[in-house]
Amino acid sequence: MNTIKSIFLAARPKTLPAGIVAVWAGCMIVWKYQHILPNALPEWQQVELNWALAVFTVLSAMCIQIACNLFNDSLDSDKKADTAKRQGPRRITASGAMSSRAVKIAGCFFLAVAAALSIPLIQAQGWPIIAIGIPSMLCAYCYTGGPYPLAYKGLGELFVLLFFGLVAVMGTVYVQIGFVYNSFFLYIYGAAFIVGVQCGLLSCLLIEINNIRDRKEDSGTGKRTLAVRLGDKRARGLAMAFLIAPYVTLKQTAFFLPDVSWNLCWLAAILCGGFILLKITRTPADKRMNMLLGLASLHLILFLLALTMGSSIS
């Protein structure tokens, strides 16, 4: 297996929509207020969505996520957390396809690229971008490394909710418009907060499915994920809650984004979500759950697509 293919597999492409969709969500909020609700808050007419900054934001976020996945691959192997019992996709470090050192170097490379891509964001909005970016990059390593690895302490879901939800969505909005304290900004950041929570919860579904699948292996290697701590039944219940909660909070979303409405655009998301709920209860905790990871990523995309397209087809 060549190096490029190995890194591609270690990047875990099925999980990458989590970072992409969060930036998409932030840009969607800005775009809606600019083009669909221009009369709701007159101050908004003074601001326009900057597509170049949007591209730099999503590429930087993707690089941080890829780095996190690479460090996870390497550090799990170092800690002997990947064993012959593994049910998930092949790990390139544990399989011997690449050395742990080489995978860590690749992770550092992607962090360096993320930092370089953030330069236009810093030029646009200043030091707050650095205050967001440095903790994000540190946590890419600390998720499985450092003196207090989050994934090994049952804090992986909290990390995902914060960084792939609130920080990513609200940070994207900040990149676009900055911050001034007035009624308009309270509305748009209120929308970013609610949608950020929804993106974070649906991203938590990805990690919970992954941890349910690996629960038996993790419990034997000292990796105390939330699924290990809760047990199989309660972990599945939590995964279902992660999926249902974003729909329950749509009323709050509609308060900040008045164009949100129930229409045919939601049908695909609801059907996909319902199928996932059914499969969560019935799928054994083995490699058969890998299909659910792909479906959960698809559902995350469908959910944001429904939010984005709502006004145009209602």
Side-chain angles (χ1 to χ4, degrees):
M1 183 182 296
N2 61 48
T3 301
I4 294 177
K5 184 177 180 180
S6 295
I7 292 176
F8 175 78
L9 292 175
R12 301 181 201 174
K14 286 184 179 181
T15 69
L16 294 183
I20 298 170
V21 165
V23 176
W24 167 13
C27 292
M28 175 270 293
I29 293 168
V30 173
W31 181 83
K32 277 180 178 282
Y33 272 101
Q34 177 186 340
H35 292 282
I36 298 173
L37 304 168
N39 298 321
L41 297 165
E43 299 98 326
W44 178 244
Q45 296 175 5
Q46 303 172 13
V47 186
E48 291 187 5
L49 180 66
N50 187 316
W51 289 103
L53 289 180
V55 171
F56 280 110
T57 303
V58 74
L59 291 176
S60 182
M62 283 182 63
C63 286
I64 292 175
Q65 187 178 359
I66 290 171
C68 182
N69 289 339
L70 289 170
F71 289 135
N72 181 255
D73 190 297
S74 173
L75 292 165
D76 273 353
S77 178
D78 292 346
K79 298 172 186 287
K80 309 299 181 184
D82 288 333
T83 69
K85 297 179 181 179
R86 177 169 174 77
Q87 299 295 316
R90 182 171 179 255
R91 292 294 193 99
I92 63 171
T93 309
S95 67
M98 289 181 68
S99 69
S100 177
R101 181 174 179 271
V103 176
K104 288 188 181 73
I105 291 174
C108 291
F109 169 78
F110 277 99
L111 285 185
V113 173
L117 289 169
S118 70
I119 292 174
L121 313 184
I122 297 170
Q123 291 174 334
Q125 297 298 349
W127 68 264
I129 302 300
I130 298 174
I132 295 171
I134 290 178
S136 298
M137 290 192 288
L138 286 174
C139 284
Y141 179 82
C142 293
Y143 180 73
T144 46
Y148 197 84
L150 300 174
Y152 284 73
K153 304 297 182 181
L155 297 174
E157 288 80 359
L158 179 61
F159 164 81
V160 169
L161 176 61
L162 291 175
F163 284 92
F164 289 93
L166 292 171
V167 171
V169 177
M170 297 183 76
T172 298
V173 171
Y174 181 82
V175 165
Q176 291 291 329
I177 68 173
F179 186 80
V180 177
Y181 187 81
N182 58 33
S183 60
F184 155 64
F185 284 91
L186 289 178
Y187 264 88
I188 198 166
Y189 276 102
F193 178 83
I194 295 296
V195 176
V197 170
Q198 292 168 335
C199 287
L201 290 172
L202 292 178
S203 296
C204 284
L205 176 62
L206 292 169
I207 190 174
E208 198 61 33
I209 291 172
N210 183 81
N211 289 343
I212 291 169
R213 181 200 63 206
D214 295 339
R215 187 180 63 83
K216 291 182 179 179
E217 179 189 15
D218 290 341
S219 63
T221 59
K223 191 173 183 179
R224 300 282 293 170
T225 64
L226 199 54
V228 171
R229 294 171 183 271
L230 293 176
D232 183 79
K233 185 176 180 179
R234 285 186 290 180
R236 290 174 189 264
L238 181 61
M240 295 171 71
F242 287 147
L243 179 57
I244 294 170
Y247 290 94
V248 174
T249 57
L250 279 176
K251 183 177 181 180
Q252 285 69 40
T253 309
F255 176 80
F256 291 103
L257 292 174
D259 68 311
V260 174
S261 59
W262 291 103
N263 49 66
L264 291 177
C265 197
W266 288 96
L267 181 60
I270 292 171
L271 289 175
C272 183
F275 184 72
I276 292 171
L277 287 175
L278 180 65
K279 285 295 184 179
I280 285 175
T281 62
R282 298 184 178 182
T283 305
D286 56 27
K287 61 181 64 178
R288 281 170 285 187
M289 295 201 82
N290 293 333
M291 177 192 69
L292 281 180
L293 279 175
L295 285 174
S297 291
L298 174 62
H299 175 263
L300 176 58
I301 294 171
L302 292 174
F303 184 90
L304 259 294
L305 181 63
L307 279 180
T308 303
M309 299 294 290
S311 62
S312 62
I313 66 171
S314 58

